Amino acid sequence: MRNLYIWLNILLELSFLWSCAICMKFSKFVSQQNKVLNHARVKRGWQWESLNVLEEKEVEQKLYVGQLKSDSDKQDGSIKYILSGEGTGNIFTMEEDSGKIFVHRKLDREEKSFYTLRAQAINRLTGVLVETESEFVIKILDINDNKPKFIHGPYIAEVPEMSPIGTSIIQVTAVDNDDPAAANNARLVYSILQGQAHFSIEIKSGIIRVASQIDRETKDHYHVIVQVKDMIGNAGALSATATVTIQVSDINDNAPKFQQKIYDMSIIESASVGEIVGVVLADDIDLGKNAEITYSIEEKGHFSMFNITTDNITQEGIITLNKLVDFERTIRRYHIQVRAENKYKSELNDTATIRVYVVDVDEPPVFLRKEYYMEILENATVGSHVGTVTAKDPDIANRIIRYEILQNSYSSSFEIFSNNGSIITSKPLDRETDPWHNITIAATEAQHLAHVSVVEVYIQVIDVNDHFPELQNEYDIYVCEKTKAGEHVQTISAFDKDPVIGHQFYYMIPPEEISNANFTLIDNTDNTATILTLRNGYSLQETPIFYLPVIISDNGIPSLSSTSTLTIQVCNCGTNNDKGFCRRRGLFWIFLNSGAFIAISVFSIILLGLAVIVHIKCQKSPAHFTEKGEDLKENIVKYDDEGGGEEDTEAFDITGLRHKTVMRKHKRKRIIRNDIQSMYRLSLGLGPDVTIFREFLSEKLEEADTDPCSLPPDSLHKYTYEGTGSTTGSLSSLDLSTVDIDPCLENYQGWTHE
């Protein structure tokens, strides 16, 4: 059975081989037939070889390329071959008789890979085309003469640290100018010369990938050298290299770490809340946001005594005081635990312990209160106790404290006992002038004067009812003559300088005035009162003014009262009985409407008469002419200027006025009334009574009738009084020393003729 199976396998194999041989022969036959058919289709009567030129081949004179030949050429020289097309003449030439083609210089395939030419075959004798013009191509065969070149450089890439193996990073690309169809001249392969430990490259595509885990904290960049070769890297291949810079980017994979596990810090006991205690720092070797840290205090130990904040610039943890500390207390060392964690991954964290020691300092005194409020009555006597301030030395030494008032505008009103801080008044107080007094008290350690604390003391002066109520205004009150009993006259109100809330004023007429009162007063119980008439009609002639006393009391403790007298004027209010008419005219108009107008007229006449008397008396002042003069007679000479020199004598001849000197006759003495008051008395308004004045005028009239020197009524003399005692004399140009003066002029001493 086994042998049969072997023989069957042998027969099957033989049959398979026989069938394959038959197929191969058939295929070869079909191929030959197709080749024959193709040659028969393209055949044109031309015969030529494969025309190729190897590039970069050195040519001394000419180099044979190939031959074109017509199948009708019998090689008897009857056919002439003509070449035309690209490079004819300078690159390619053809022998006319044989059709052989030659190249005359070195060619570069990378410049031009083929040349297209045309050939003709003509009969030399007839010039007739033996073969139609045919086009052919001369190919430039490639050699591996070009190195591959990297493009798109320089190459810089980035890959996150800890990327998985095989992660694509970057692709490098090189090109080769050789013919990719010619052997393997342009077939490139890539490899890594430097950096193989961490990176790999695909041999054909040039894609660089991660070959092992990369840690940025170990190395943050790599320079990978990549090589490319042509000819698939075989012997004789050309190569080029490029450097790929690979940056390793950071990922948040590291936890912050404190530089120390235990920190020792100190704070003075006088430190205020918010003062910095110290700074801690945790390092995170990641970069940028991945290294951002936040700090916190874990709820262990004395966590409430301190705060911690994060400085976003320096990434430091700043510890500040949250509550005041005191060395004198039992706790002088505090323990807190701080935590530093990654801002974006809280699972990445670290902790440290901080010990804070309180340092003792010599502190200034401390007042038991931040500020003091005190009260005192405004009528308190000087030396009255206001209040006490107290300060203590917070140190264990508990030194003695001294007090004083710092000078300001209110400090002079108070004094303080330096040993116990008791404040007393040193001046009387007035709430209406200063309701509050603000003073500053300083407490100083007796042994350390530099240790000073101050506190503000606000002293309120409590009001005492020490001001009497007063009328709110100075009222201008009128009552009409035709007023009826019970009519409203005026509403009055009061005020009090004491600032009592809910002031209540009470009004009344003194009891002794009620029986004689022409008016009554009604208290309105709203801090006002109303004055009413008690009778029908008032007389402006009989009683033009009434006075009404009013008692005003307040509700203070003790109650104070004052009496004010109101003036009520009677007024003729006209037909409409309008008191506003009286207010517009005033008191002076009321008197003008009465008999006082006549009295004022008489008084004015008396004053006018007194003025005349004074004028006459002034004429009798003791001024005499010291020189003799001529008689002026009844001639009138008037000068309007102060002397015209020679023109005065030319204007009027005064020779006729001169005569011998006349002796003056003695004149009887005039009687001077002593009861006539002087001008000074007149100026004071103290004039004589009418009877004496009339008697004086009668005597003067009689004296004028009996005086021989009195002037006739038809004479006109004008005199101007120049005063007495003048050292300059008259300003007139007339020389009075040469004029005889009438003896009657002696009575008018001090007067000059004008």
Side-chain angles (χ1 to χ4, degrees):
M1 204 51 196
R2 183 177 180 182
N3 293 331
L4 179 62
Y5 178 74
I6 293 172
W7 281 108
L8 286 174
N9 286 335
I10 294 172
L11 289 175
L12 288 172
E13 290 179 1
L14 290 174
S15 62
F16 176 76
L17 292 173
W18 179 77
S19 61
C20 287
I22 293 174
C23 290
M24 290 178 65
K25 290 182 179 180
F26 179 77
S27 298
K28 185 175 182 181
F29 174 76
V30 172
S31 175
Q32 290 176 353
Q33 292 296 321
N34 289 336
K35 186 175 181 181
V36 171
L37 291 175
N38 289 337
H39 287 170
R41 179 170 56 83
V42 300
K43 185 176 180 181
R44 297 180 180 179
W46 284 97
Q47 294 179 356
W48 55 57
E49 301 173 3
S50 178
L51 302 177
N52 296 312
V53 178
L54 189 65
E55 70 168 333
E56 304 295 340
K57 189 174 180 63
E58 296 294 336
V59 178
E60 295 181 358
Q61 291 183 353
K62 61 181 180 179
L63 179 66
Y64 177 75
V65 177
Q67 184 179 13
L68 293 180
K69 184 178 180 182
S70 173
D71 56 0
S72 60
D73 187 0
K74 298 178 179 179
Q75 298 182 356
D76 56 359
S78 61
I79 296 177
K80 179 183 179 180
Y81 295 95
I82 301 173
L83 182 67
S84 63
E86 295 179 328
T88 302
N90 58 346
I91 299 177
F92 301 100
T93 60
M94 177 183 280
E95 290 182 350
E96 294 181 353
D97 295 333
S98 63
K100 293 180 179 179
I101 302 172
F102 298 91
V103 62
H104 293 269
R105 71 179 188 184
K106 184 171 62 175
L107 300 179
D108 186 0
R109 190 203 68 84
E110 283 71 40
E111 292 183 1
K112 193 170 180 65
S113 60
F114 65 90
Y115 292 86
T116 302
L117 295 97
R118 293 181 299 277
Q120 290 179 338
I122 62 173
N123 191 295
R124 286 181 180 274
L125 297 177
T126 62
V128 178
L129 288 173
V130 178
E131 297 291 345
T132 58
E133 186 179 47
S134 180
E135 186 177 81
F136 64 95
V137 174
I138 298 177
K139 291 185 178 180
I140 311 301
L141 298 180
D142 182 57
I143 64 172
N144 191 20
D145 62 340
N146 287 280
K147 291 183 179 181
K149 295 180 180 179
F150 284 98
I151 60 176
H152 308 308
Y155 294 98
I156 299 175
E158 184 177 271
V159 61
E161 64 174 332
M162 300 301 174
S163 295
I165 296 174
T167 301
S168 175
I169 302 174
I170 191 174
Q171 183 179 16
V172 295
T173 304
V175 295
D176 194 325
N177 291 331
D178 291 326
D179 188 359
N184 296 318
N185 293 344
R187 292 183 64 181
L188 306 178
V189 292
Y190 299 91
S191 62
I192 294 179
L193 299 181
Q194 178 180 309
Q196 303 94 326
H198 301 289
F199 306 97
S200 64
I201 190 169
E202 292 184 358
I203 190 171
K204 292 183 178 180
S205 64
I207 297 175
I208 300 175
R209 298 182 183 275
V210 176
S212 64
Q213 277 196 344
I214 306 171
D215 187 4
R216 187 204 65 80
E217 286 71 37
T218 302
K219 190 173 183 179
D220 60 357
H221 70 281
Y222 295 87
H223 297 293
V224 179
I225 299 177
V226 179
Q227 184 184 59
V228 61
K229 286 185 176 182
D230 57 12
M231 296 182 66
I232 320 176
N234 294 329
L238 301 177
S239 65
T241 59
T243 301
V244 180
T245 301
I246 300 176
Q247 301 285 351
V248 182
S249 61
D250 183 62
I251 63 172
N252 196 3
D253 60 340
N254 291 281
K257 296 293 182 182
F258 279 103
Q259 296 177 349
Q260 301 172 223
K261 281 299 181 181
I262 298 177
Y263 290 85
D264 288 326
M265 301 179 182
S266 61
I267 184 73
I268 59 175
E269 63 173 333
S270 60
S272 58
V273 173
E275 191 165 330
I276 296 177
V277 179
V279 176
V280 295
L281 178 63
D283 295 322
D284 192 330
I285 58 178
D286 291 326
L287 295 177
K289 291 185 176 180
N290 296 332
E292 293 183 5
I293 302 172
T294 57
Y295 296 89
S296 61
I297 296 178
E298 295 185 342
E299 294 188 1
K300 294 179 181 179
H302 306 95
F303 67 94
S304 63
M305 293 296 297
F306 305 93
N307 285 329
I308 188 169
T309 57
T310 304
D311 189 326
N312 294 325
I313 298 177
T314 63
Q315 292 297 296
E316 294 175 326
I318 302 172
I319 301 171
T320 57
L321 189 63
N322 189 42
K323 296 180 180 179
L324 295 176
V325 294
D326 192 348
F327 181 82
E328 284 69 35
R329 297 179 182 178
T330 56
I331 300 177
R332 297 181 181 178
R333 185 178 68 180
Y334 297 89
H335 290 81
I336 58 174
Q337 187 166 343
V338 295
R339 177 187 179 93
E341 64 181 33
N342 188 278
K343 187 175 182 179
Y344 304 101
K345 287 186 177 180
S346 58
E347 63 272 16
L348 302 175
N349 59 74
D350 192 20
T351 58
T353 301
I354 299 177
R355 296 180 297 199
V356 181
Y357 296 88
V358 181
V359 179
D360 185 32
V361 295
D362 191 2
E363 301 174 88
V366 177
F367 282 95
L368 299 185
R369 297 181 187 177
K370 292 184 178 180
E371 53 189 11
Y372 288 84
Y373 290 89
M374 302 177 182
E375 295 180 349
I376 187 168
L377 294 174
E378 66 173 325
N379 63 348
T381 58
V382 174
S384 298
H385 180 264
V386 180
T388 302
V389 297
T390 303
K392 291 185 177 180
D393 184 3
D395 299 319
I396 298 176
N398 194 20
R399 297 181 177 87
I400 298 173
I401 307 300
R402 300 299 184 195
Y403 304 90
E404 66 173 330
I405 298 177
L406 300 182
Q407 296 297 321
N408 62 17
S409 58
Y410 298 107
S411 59
S412 60
S413 299
F414 303 93
E415 293 179 357
I416 189 170
F417 290 98
S418 62
N419 57 342
N420 60 10
S422 180
I423 302 172
I424 61 173
T425 60
S426 60
K427 289 183 179 180
L429 304 177
D430 185 4
R431 195 219 66 82
E432 285 70 36
T433 303
D434 294 305
W436 283 90
H437 294 264
N438 303 337
I439 61 175
T440 303
I441 305 297
T444 308
E445 290 185 7
Q447 298 177 358
H448 295 82
L449 300 180
H451 292 171
V452 180
S453 297
V454 296
V455 70
E456 297 295 328
V457 179
Y458 304 98
I459 302 174
Q460 183 180 12
V461 181
I462 305 302
D463 182 58
V464 175
N465 192 23
D466 58 347
H467 286 84
F468 295 91
E470 304 175 25
L471 285 176
Q472 187 73 36
N473 300 303
E474 294 183 2
Y475 293 98
D476 193 11
I477 305 174
Y478 294 92
V479 62
C480 295
E481 288 184 304
K482 299 179 181 180
T483 299
K484 303 297 183 180
E487 287 189 6
H488 176 273
V489 177
Q490 181 72 40
T491 298
I492 61 175
S493 60
F495 77 98
D496 195 326
K497 292 181 180 179
D498 293 317
V500 177
I501 299 176
H503 252 314
Q504 184 64 44
F505 298 110
Y506 307 97
Y507 303 86
M508 63 177 293
I509 296 176
E512 63 274 12
E513 297 291 337
I514 294 177
S515 59
N516 299 324
N518 292 282
F519 303 91
T520 186
L521 187 69
I522 304 299
D523 193 331
N524 298 325
T525 69
D526 60 354
N527 287 342
T528 65
T530 302
I531 302 173
L532 302 177
T533 58
L534 280 180
R535 69 183 192 184
N536 295 329
Y538 295 87
S539 174
L540 178 62
Q541 301 295 333
E542 295 178 0
T543 310
I545 296 176
F546 291 92
Y547 298 100
L548 179 64
V550 177
I551 298 175
I552 307 172
S553 304
D554 60 19
N555 61 337
I557 299 175
S559 177
L560 298 178
S561 62
S562 64
T563 302
S564 299
T565 301
L566 298 173
T567 300
I568 303 175
Q569 306 173 26
V570 180
C571 174
N572 181 5
C573 300
T575 56
N576 296 328
N577 209 30
D578 181 15
K579 288 189 288 186
F581 178 73
C582 301
R583 292 188 177 91
R584 290 190 295 271
R585 292 184 302 179
L587 180 62
F588 181 71
W589 181 257
I590 296 175
F591 279 102
L592 290 181
N593 285 340
S594 65
F597 179 76
I598 299 174
I600 293 174
S601 300
V602 173
F603 185 71
S604 299
I605 294 173
I606 294 174
L607 290 179
L608 181 61
L610 290 176
V612 173
I613 295 172
V614 171
H615 180 70
I616 294 174
K617 186 175 182 181
C618 288
Q619 292 178 353
K620 298 179 180 181
S621 58
H624 302 277
F625 291 106
T626 57
E627 298 180 0
K628 296 180 179 180
E630 297 179 354
D631 188 6
L632 298 179
K633 303 297 181 180
E634 294 181 359
N635 292 289
I636 299 174
V637 181
K638 182 177 178 62
Y639 295 92
D640 291 332
D641 53 17
E642 296 182 358
E646 295 297 327
E647 294 180 358
D648 291 339
T649 56
E650 294 176 0
F652 184 79
D653 187 8
I654 62 173
T655 306
L657 298 177
R658 296 177 180 174
H659 53 80
K660 295 181 180 180
T661 302
V662 179
M663 295 297 294
R664 298 174 188 169
K665 294 182 180 181
H666 179 72
K667 182 180 178 183
R668 65 184 180 92
K669 183 178 181 181
R670 291 197 181 108
I671 300 174
I672 303 301
R673 294 292 300 270
N674 294 327
D675 54 357
I676 301 302
Q677 304 299 318
S678 65
M679 196 64 172
Y680 174 74
R681 289 179 55 83
L682 290 176
S683 64
L684 297 178
L686 303 176
D689 56 27
V690 178
T691 303
I692 298 174
F693 185 67
R694 288 178 179 175
E695 183 179 351
F696 171 75
L697 291 179
S698 298
E699 292 178 356
K700 287 298 178 182
L701 181 59
E702 181 181 358
E703 182 180 351
D705 290 340
T706 58
D707 188 1
C709 294
S710 62
L711 300 176
D714 57 350
S715 297
L716 177 59
H717 291 265
K718 185 175 181 182
Y719 301 94
T720 300
Y721 184 69
E722 294 184 352
T724 61
S726 175
T727 58
T728 58
S730 175
L731 296 178
S732 174
S733 59
L734 295 177
D735 187 3
L736 294 181
S737 61
T738 59
V739 178
D740 294 332
I741 300 176
D742 193 328
C744 293
L745 294 179
E746 184 181 4
N747 297 331
Y748 302 96
Q749 297 175 3
W751 295 82
T752 59
H753 191 276
E754 187 173 352

